[in-house]
Amino acid sequence: ALPGQKALEMSADEDYDLILMDLQMPVTDGLTATREIRARESKENRKGSRIVGVTAHALADDRRKCLDAGMNDYLSKPFSVDDLKRILKESV
């Protein structure tokens, strides 16, 4: 399976502490995958995974698109260890 489809498959039966979701993937992009994961979590009354969008092509409205799709946060590549630590700290 391709990455976006694999994320959908893997999250079908399990809530992960953190999913780093690339925005640009073939067939199922990160925004679409996130919307589908969130819809399934809602339908099944699941707590849900923390999803962080990641992209190398940082555009001004990428963060808003990520949040609107149901992501919890956004990182632009390349990101630092400190950026990832901030994200993890905020998830607790």
Side-chain angles (χ1 to χ4, degrees), residues 15-60:
D15 291 328
Y16 289 88
D17 293 332
L18 179 67
I19 298 173
L20 295 177
M21 184 73 75
D22 196 324
L23 298 189
Q24 297 183 351
M25 297 180 287
V27 182
T28 306
D29 66 39
L31 297 173
T32 301
T34 297
R35 286 186 198 100
E36 291 183 30
I37 290 169
R38 293 300 188 219
R40 182 176 46 224
E41 289 170 345
S42 177
K43 181 180 176 186
E44 297 173 0
N45 292 319
R46 291 168 46 188
K47 174 187 161 211
S49 298
R50 182 162 181 82
I51 302 176
V52 176
V54 180
T55 186
H57 305 288
L59 300 174

